[in-house]
Amino acid sequence: MNHKPVFEVPAKTVVNFKSAFEHKKLCDGLTFSLGSACAFSCTFCYVPDLMRKLRELPGMAGVHGRHEDIVIRRRNALDVLKSQLVDRRGRPKFSDPQDRRVIFASPLVDVAANLELAKETAAACFIILHNTNWQIRLLSKSHLLPEIAKRIPEQWKNRIIYGVSTGTIDDAIGRAVEPGTPLVSKRLASLHWLQDSGHRTFGMICPSLPYADSDAFSTSACHAIRSYRCEHVWGEALNVRGESMTRTVRALEVAGHGELSERLAYVSADKYAWEDYARETFLAHSSNIPGDKLRFLQYTNPSTRMWWNGWVEDGAVLL
Ligand code: SF4
């Protein structure tokens, strides 16, 4: 799948009812994931580091290869999902019409990395929409979200919110740091199709690199995603460290983006420069996006918290 070997592993759960993604305001604590290793291979992906410890678990016996080089799907994921939403007699457990919580997918894999996975995600959405009154937020680095939207019955159209990642809007930079993903321009075209077809959408300008001109980048990105048509827009500086940072710096250099690569290497080695980069990125976005729409994710520490606290009303989300 996407030139990677695929492993199917048994899983007890697909829905996580207590995810930390609530703090990022992406959902109300609910997430679902149909796999554990993505078909894409973004250089800055945090999931491989997160998942390394899982390789010790019994269900993972027989899974070979580095996390970033393989695809892991959850066996009978749709049956497992349904079993979490209904009781032993098949009655929905979350049938309260007032329960309009948002569930997010996916914290671990792309929901539409190819057509087969997009179809599986559509089937999962159908199960959730049929058995609950929840809303679903889907995020992808592909151009295939319309393939999901087309498979959702009209009556549930307004319960799904779609977004594509656009941490860069330059196809060449995207190709360097997000290997295997469709071009950002194709993703944007799919977002526009969703908007023009009356679907709910959100923006995800994450993670953005330390561009020389943050204001120009933010203005172009907001224009590209048509931020005025998005319900919310998330922003974030690149927060990865260690191996994924080294991979990203190197990928940019190899692809001929030497200046950007050097700037990233510089901010990653200097916490003050890093903080400046995050603040510049935030201030650029806050001049383009109203505070009640912007959700800029920022990890803070005791020495930076006071500054960020002063911008909460303008869209800073302190992690
Ligand atoms: S699409 Fe997301 S989960 Fe998949 S490799 Fe890229 S960052 Fe990781």
mmCIF file of all heavy atoms in Angstrom, residues 4 38-42 44-48 106-110 141 178 181, ligand 1:
data_model
loop_
_atom_site.group_PDB
_atom_site.id
_atom_site.type_symbol
_atom_site.label_atom_id
_atom_site.label_comp_id
_atom_site.label_asym_id
_atom_site.label_seq_id
_atom_site.Cartn_x
_atom_site.Cartn_y
_atom_site.Cartn_z
ATOM 1 N N LYS A 4 4.464 0.454 0.531
ATOM 2 C CA LYS A 4 4.924 -0.066 1.832
ATOM 3 C C LYS A 4 4.243 -1.407 2.102
ATOM 4 O O LYS A 4 3.078 -1.593 1.723
ATOM 5 C CB LYS A 4 4.523 0.876 2.970
ATOM 6 C CG LYS A 4 5.153 2.265 2.954
ATOM 7 C CD LYS A 4 4.643 3.024 4.179
ATOM 8 C CE LYS A 4 5.197 4.416 4.274
ATOM 9 N NZ LYS A 4 4.804 5.064 5.535
ATOM 10 N N CYS A 38 1.072 4.824 9.320
ATOM 11 C CA CYS A 38 0.480 5.553 8.198
ATOM 12 C C CYS A 38 1.055 5.123 6.848
ATOM 13 O O CYS A 38 2.211 4.707 6.747
ATOM 14 C CB CYS A 38 0.763 7.039 8.417
ATOM 15 S SG CYS A 38 -0.053 8.136 7.264
ATOM 16 N N ALA A 39 0.253 5.259 5.815
ATOM 17 C CA ALA A 39 0.723 4.956 4.461
ATOM 18 C C ALA A 39 1.627 6.072 3.930
ATOM 19 O O ALA A 39 2.361 5.870 2.969
ATOM 20 C CB ALA A 39 -0.466 4.746 3.530
ATOM 21 N N PHE A 40 1.571 7.245 4.524
ATOM 22 C CA PHE A 40 2.462 8.333 4.139
ATOM 23 C C PHE A 40 3.736 8.289 5.000
ATOM 24 O O PHE A 40 3.819 7.502 5.950
ATOM 25 C CB PHE A 40 1.765 9.691 4.300
ATOM 26 C CG PHE A 40 0.616 9.918 3.345
ATOM 27 C CD1 PHE A 40 -0.458 10.723 3.711
ATOM 28 C CD2 PHE A 40 0.621 9.353 2.076
ATOM 29 C CE1 PHE A 40 -1.513 10.946 2.834
ATOM 30 C CE2 PHE A 40 -0.432 9.568 1.186
ATOM 31 C CZ PHE A 40 -1.512 10.370 1.573
ATOM 32 N N SER A 41 4.690 9.171 4.701
ATOM 33 C CA SER A 41 5.993 9.107 5.391
ATOM 34 C C SER A 41 6.540 10.503 5.670
ATOM 35 O O SER A 41 7.691 10.800 5.342
ATOM 36 C CB SER A 41 7.010 8.350 4.527
ATOM 37 O OG SER A 41 6.489 7.143 4.066
ATOM 38 N N CYS A 42 5.753 11.375 6.254
ATOM 39 C CA CYS A 42 6.221 12.745 6.491
ATOM 40 C C CYS A 42 7.473 12.744 7.376
ATOM 41 O O CYS A 42 7.521 12.027 8.378
ATOM 42 C CB CYS A 42 5.123 13.574 7.150
ATOM 43 S SG CYS A 42 3.582 13.534 6.222
ATOM 44 N N PHE A 44 8.537 14.883 9.420
ATOM 45 C CA PHE A 44 8.368 15.458 10.768
ATOM 46 C C PHE A 44 7.359 14.693 11.606
ATOM 47 O O PHE A 44 6.992 15.128 12.692
ATOM 48 C CB PHE A 44 7.911 16.921 10.647
ATOM 49 C CG PHE A 44 6.740 17.099 9.715
ATOM 50 C CD1 PHE A 44 5.466 16.758 10.114
ATOM 51 C CD2 PHE A 44 6.932 17.566 8.430
ATOM 52 C CE1 PHE A 44 4.394 16.893 9.247
ATOM 53 C CE2 PHE A 44 5.860 17.714 7.548
ATOM 54 C CZ PHE A 44 4.586 17.375 7.963
ATOM 55 N N CYS A 45 6.896 13.542 11.111
ATOM 56 C CA CYS A 45 5.825 12.819 11.812
ATOM 57 C C CYS A 45 6.261 12.410 13.223
ATOM 58 O O CYS A 45 7.346 11.865 13.417
ATOM 59 C CB CYS A 45 5.438 11.580 11.020
ATOM 60 S SG CYS A 45 4.007 10.743 11.713
ATOM 61 N N TYR A 46 5.407 12.676 14.202
ATOM 62 C CA TYR A 46 5.737 12.336 15.589
ATOM 63 C C TYR A 46 5.289 10.921 15.946
ATOM 64 O O TYR A 46 5.664 10.390 16.980
ATOM 65 C CB TYR A 46 5.056 13.331 16.553
ATOM 66 C CG TYR A 46 3.547 13.265 16.480
ATOM 67 C CD1 TYR A 46 2.826 12.375 17.279
ATOM 68 C CD2 TYR A 46 2.845 14.072 15.593
ATOM 69 C CE1 TYR A 46 1.441 12.291 17.182
ATOM 70 C CE2 TYR A 46 1.464 13.994 15.491
ATOM 71 C CZ TYR A 46 0.775 13.102 16.291
ATOM 72 O OH TYR A 46 -0.597 13.012 16.192
ATOM 73 N N VAL A 47 4.475 10.315 15.078
ATOM 74 C CA VAL A 47 3.870 9.028 15.449
ATOM 75 C C VAL A 47 4.909 7.905 15.626
ATOM 76 O O VAL A 47 4.818 7.136 16.583
ATOM 77 C CB VAL A 47 2.769 8.622 14.441
ATOM 78 C CG1 VAL A 47 2.145 7.287 14.831
ATOM 79 C CG2 VAL A 47 1.697 9.701 14.379
ATOM 80 N N PRO A 48 5.925 7.786 14.725
ATOM 81 C CA PRO A 48 6.876 6.688 14.922
ATOM 82 C C PRO A 48 7.497 6.679 16.323
ATOM 83 O O PRO A 48 7.585 5.628 16.964
ATOM 84 C CB PRO A 48 7.944 6.950 13.845
ATOM 85 C CG PRO A 48 7.193 7.651 12.764
ATOM 86 C CD PRO A 48 6.190 8.515 13.476
ATOM 87 N N SER A 106 -7.420 11.309 12.152
ATOM 88 C CA SER A 106 -6.964 10.312 13.086
ATOM 89 C C SER A 106 -5.704 10.812 13.751
ATOM 90 O O SER A 106 -4.902 11.483 13.100
ATOM 91 C CB SER A 106 -6.680 9.011 12.342
ATOM 92 O OG SER A 106 -5.721 8.206 13.006
ATOM 93 N N PRO A 107 -5.500 10.468 15.012
ATOM 94 C CA PRO A 107 -4.261 10.904 15.666
ATOM 95 C C PRO A 107 -3.040 10.095 15.234
ATOM 96 O O PRO A 107 -1.919 10.490 15.517
ATOM 97 C CB PRO A 107 -4.555 10.666 17.152
ATOM 98 C CG PRO A 107 -5.640 9.660 17.188
ATOM 99 C CD PRO A 107 -6.424 9.785 15.911
ATOM 100 N N LEU A 108 -3.253 8.978 14.518
ATOM 101 C CA LEU A 108 -2.122 8.084 14.220
ATOM 102 C C LEU A 108 -1.826 7.843 12.747
ATOM 103 O O LEU A 108 -0.701 7.519 12.385
ATOM 104 C CB LEU A 108 -2.369 6.704 14.881
ATOM 105 C CG LEU A 108 -2.502 6.704 16.397
ATOM 106 C CD1 LEU A 108 -2.830 5.304 16.891
ATOM 107 C CD2 LEU A 108 -1.219 7.202 17.042
ATOM 108 N N VAL A 109 -2.841 7.950 11.896
ATOM 109 C CA VAL A 109 -2.648 7.658 10.471
ATOM 110 C C VAL A 109 -3.460 8.651 9.643
ATOM 111 O O VAL A 109 -4.372 9.281 10.158
ATOM 112 C CB VAL A 109 -3.118 6.217 10.114
ATOM 113 C CG1 VAL A 109 -2.261 5.168 10.790
ATOM 114 C CG2 VAL A 109 -4.589 6.019 10.476
ATOM 115 N N ASP A 110 -3.140 8.715 8.357
ATOM 116 C CA ASP A 110 -3.973 9.549 7.486
ATOM 117 C C ASP A 110 -5.256 8.781 7.150
ATOM 118 O O ASP A 110 -5.216 7.588 6.851
ATOM 119 C CB ASP A 110 -3.220 9.904 6.200
ATOM 120 C CG ASP A 110 -3.888 11.063 5.485
ATOM 121 O OD1 ASP A 110 -4.944 10.834 4.843
ATOM 122 O OD2 ASP A 110 -3.395 12.190 5.612
ATOM 123 N N LYS A 141 -3.820 14.552 4.591
ATOM 124 C CA LYS A 141 -2.816 15.169 3.724
ATOM 125 C C LYS A 141 -3.021 14.692 2.292
ATOM 126 O O LYS A 141 -2.122 14.814 1.465
ATOM 127 C CB LYS A 141 -1.405 14.799 4.196
ATOM 128 C CG LYS A 141 -0.925 15.608 5.388
ATOM 129 C CD LYS A 141 0.547 15.367 5.656
ATOM 130 C CE LYS A 141 1.077 16.323 6.700
ATOM 131 N NZ LYS A 141 0.457 16.173 8.021
ATOM 132 N N GLU A 178 6.984 15.851 2.937
ATOM 133 C CA GLU A 178 5.812 14.980 3.087
ATOM 134 C C GLU A 178 5.821 13.940 1.973
ATOM 135 O O GLU A 178 4.901 13.883 1.141
ATOM 136 C CB GLU A 178 4.520 15.820 3.027
ATOM 137 C CG GLU A 178 4.424 16.843 4.150
ATOM 138 C CD GLU A 178 3.264 17.836 3.958
ATOM 139 O OE1 GLU A 178 2.732 17.942 2.832
ATOM 140 O OE2 GLU A 178 2.906 18.482 4.949
ATOM 141 N N THR A 181 2.809 11.962 -0.199
ATOM 142 C CA THR A 181 1.491 12.607 -0.126
ATOM 143 C C THR A 181 1.174 13.284 -1.462
ATOM 144 O O THR A 181 2.083 13.694 -2.187
ATOM 145 C CB THR A 181 1.456 13.685 0.972
ATOM 146 O OG1 THR A 181 2.434 14.687 0.659
ATOM 147 C CG2 THR A 181 1.756 13.114 2.341
HETATM 148 S S1 SF4 B 1 0.066 11.991 7.260
HETATM 149 FE FE1 SF4 B 1 0.184 12.421 9.463
HETATM 150 S S2 SF4 B 1 0.328 10.392 10.434
HETATM 151 FE FE2 SF4 B 1 0.810 10.128 8.251
HETATM 152 S S3 SF4 B 1 3.055 10.256 8.141
HETATM 153 FE FE3 SF4 B 1 2.230 12.319 7.735
HETATM 154 S S4 SF4 B 1 2.224 13.344 9.767
HETATM 155 FE FE4 SF4 B 1 2.425 11.121 10.124
#
